[in-house]
């Protein structure tokens, strides 16, 4: 089975075609999708959708672009209460983005830390968005002492990857792994331990080769799997199994729900 560990299957992104897309995925070989919230509204929607689609898990959190939500709503409290739902498997996506100057950098840091602390209290992992901000991202995580999470749509280099891996966290590759221009990313894919890898689409963004330019969908996660399996010379079926185990190990709450199968609790 294929797993998309990060997609935004939400009204804001898919509009009137959302239901059609959800139905298509439910009939495909993509058996699990983490539906990722990025502000209060999308987080609530992601949680609501899990009641209707078995293949969906939800994550809740405020993205660095949406930090203004913290000012207008009582976000920390709202995120906490949403996260009590058992199909919420992580706090995210949260993090720092210095590439686009959308939210004040000081606010980004403050609320990133606050949200990591929510995750820590609940014992769920974090899904990290980090762009042009590796040092601060890593330092804030270090301050909380909570190295339980995944760098989503990883796009840093070998040095950063090693730091993340040494700390015990995971790396998730998106469709960027299939881009010709991303040689550096392929180097990271060569060295990442297999028990620390996840794949994602970040739909509707970042469609992989050969679908570049189209709206992305979890159905295209297979191209990320294929590219990685070629880079590492592993059979696709083997890789699927490894990624499934990784997913359940990181997103601990998912184990009660996946096809009624039992997994050994991570020690
Ligand atoms: Ni995303």
């Amino acid at each position: 089975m294929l797993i998309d560990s990060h997609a935004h299957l939400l009204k804001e992104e898919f509009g009137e075609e959302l239901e059609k897309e959800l139905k298509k995925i439910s009939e495909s070989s993509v058996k699990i999708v983490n539906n990722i919230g990025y502000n209060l509204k999308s987080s609530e929607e992601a949680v609501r959708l899990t009641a209707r689609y078995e293949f969906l898990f939800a994550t809740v959190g405020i993205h660095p672009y949406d930090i203004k939500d913290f000012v207008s709503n009582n976000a920390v409290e709202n995120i906490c209460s949403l996260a009590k739902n058992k199909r919420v498997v992580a706090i995210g996506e949260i993090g720092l983005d210095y590439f686009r100057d959308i939210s004040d950098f000081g606010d980004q840091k403050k609320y990133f830390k606050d949200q990591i602390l929510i995750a820590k209290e609940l014992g769920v992992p974090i899904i990290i968005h980090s762009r042009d901000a590796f040092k601060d991202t890593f330092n804030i995580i270090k301050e909380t002492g909570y190295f339980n999470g995944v760098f989503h749509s990883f796009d840093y280099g070998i040095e950063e990857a090693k730091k993340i891996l040494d700390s015990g966290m995971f790396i998730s590759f998106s469709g960027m792994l299939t881009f010709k221009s991303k040689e550096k990313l392929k180097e990271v894919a060569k060295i990442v331990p297999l028990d620390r890898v996840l794949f994602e689409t970040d739909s509707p963004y970042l469609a992989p080769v050969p679908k570049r330019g189209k709206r992305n969908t979890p159905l295209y996660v297979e191209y990320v799997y294929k590219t990685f399996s070629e880079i590492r010379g592993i059979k696709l079926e083997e890789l699927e199994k490894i990624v499934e185990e990784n997913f359940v190990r990181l997103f601990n709450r998912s184990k009660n729900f996946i096809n009624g199968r039992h997994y050994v609790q991570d020690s």
Side-chain angles (χ1 to χ4, degrees):
M1 69 154 121
L2 299 171
I3 299 179
D4 184 351
S5 73
H6 190 118
H8 305 280
L9 289 168
L10 300 160
K11 196 91 185 181
E12 182 85 16
E13 280 75 20
F14 284 83
E16 292 307 309
E17 285 171 68
L18 179 62
E19 290 300 327
K20 211 170 79 188
E21 196 62 46
L22 285 164
K23 189 160 180 292
K24 242 196 276 174
I25 300 160
S26 71
E27 291 161 354
S28 77
S29 53
V30 179
K31 298 300 182 196
I32 301 171
V33 178
N34 271 354
N35 204 6
I36 309 289
Y38 48 83
N39 56 23
L40 269 185
K41 192 172 155 233
S42 58
S43 296
E44 281 162 4
E45 186 187 354
V47 173
R48 265 201 315 275
L49 282 170
T50 61
R52 293 180 38 228
Y53 290 94
E54 263 191 353
F55 70 90
L56 288 179
F57 289 108
T59 76
V60 299
I62 314 289
H63 189 284
Y65 297 166
D66 290 272
I67 286 302
K68 57 187 182 300
D69 249 32
F70 273 106
V71 186
S72 53
N73 297 294
N74 197 359
V76 172
E77 210 165 278
N78 283 314
I79 291 294
C80 280
S81 82
L82 280 173
K84 294 207 170 100
N85 184 301
K86 291 298 175 208
R87 290 181 72 87
V88 172
V89 294
I91 299 295
E93 59 182 291
I94 58 174
L96 301 178
D97 193 310
Y98 297 167
F99 179 73
R100 287 196 198 156
D101 191 6
I102 292 179
S103 307
D104 176 79
F105 294 173
D107 287 345
Q108 290 192 35
K109 287 195 260 189
K110 178 184 184 320
Y111 295 119
F112 179 39
K113 191 170 179 180
D114 283 355
Q115 294 186 90
I116 300 174
L117 295 175
I118 295 174
K120 189 176 185 179
E121 199 177 311
L122 293 169
V124 296
I126 52 174
I127 294 180
I128 304 147
H129 171 106
S130 179
R131 198 159 181 207
D132 284 357
F134 182 77
K135 224 173 131 199
D136 283 355
T137 307
F138 198 79
N139 282 338
I140 289 171
I141 297 170
K142 215 156 119 188
E143 278 168 33
T144 66
Y146 195 61
F147 297 99
N148 179 17
V150 54
F151 272 72
H152 112 83
S153 198
F154 182 83
D155 193 25
Y156 289 120
I158 292 267
E159 286 313 306
E160 291 87 351
K162 281 184 179 160
K163 273 199 161 167
I164 292 166
L165 295 165
D166 285 347
S167 77
M169 292 187 282
F170 287 66
I171 283 177
S172 177
F173 293 100
S174 68
M176 283 194 285
L177 190 64
T178 68
F179 296 179
K180 250 212 164 96
S181 59
K182 293 287 179 185
E183 276 313 313
K184 205 174 68 177
L185 211 47
K186 294 189 176 78
E187 292 305 312
V188 176
K190 281 180 193 161
I191 60 120
V192 61
L194 291 177
D195 64 357
R196 237 44 108 54
V197 139
L198 292 168
F199 302 125
E200 66 175 89
T201 59
D202 207 9
S203 303
Y205 315 105
L206 286 175
V209 175
K211 305 287 182 183
R212 274 194 91 169
K214 293 196 176 176
R215 183 181 65 194
N216 205 356
T217 154
L219 300 172
Y220 297 164
V221 78
E222 62 169 295
Y223 299 108
V224 188
Y225 273 81
K226 271 185 194 149
T227 304
F228 189 89
S229 79
E230 282 161 17
I231 290 171
R232 294 294 285 260
I234 332 169
K235 280 197 188 123
L236 209 49
E237 306 82 71
E238 200 185 322
L239 186 59
E240 287 181 25
K241 244 197 252 160
I242 290 167
V243 170
E244 184 184 341
E245 280 167 18
N246 293 348
F247 184 90
V248 176
R249 207 165 70 251
L250 178 64
F251 301 108
N252 197 267
R253 282 184 178 179
S254 68
K255 70 178 183 301
N256 302 321
F257 295 97
I258 299 173
N259 302 333
R261 284 166 59 181
H262 293 288
Y263 289 85
V264 180
Q265 184 97 33
D266 198 24
S267 55

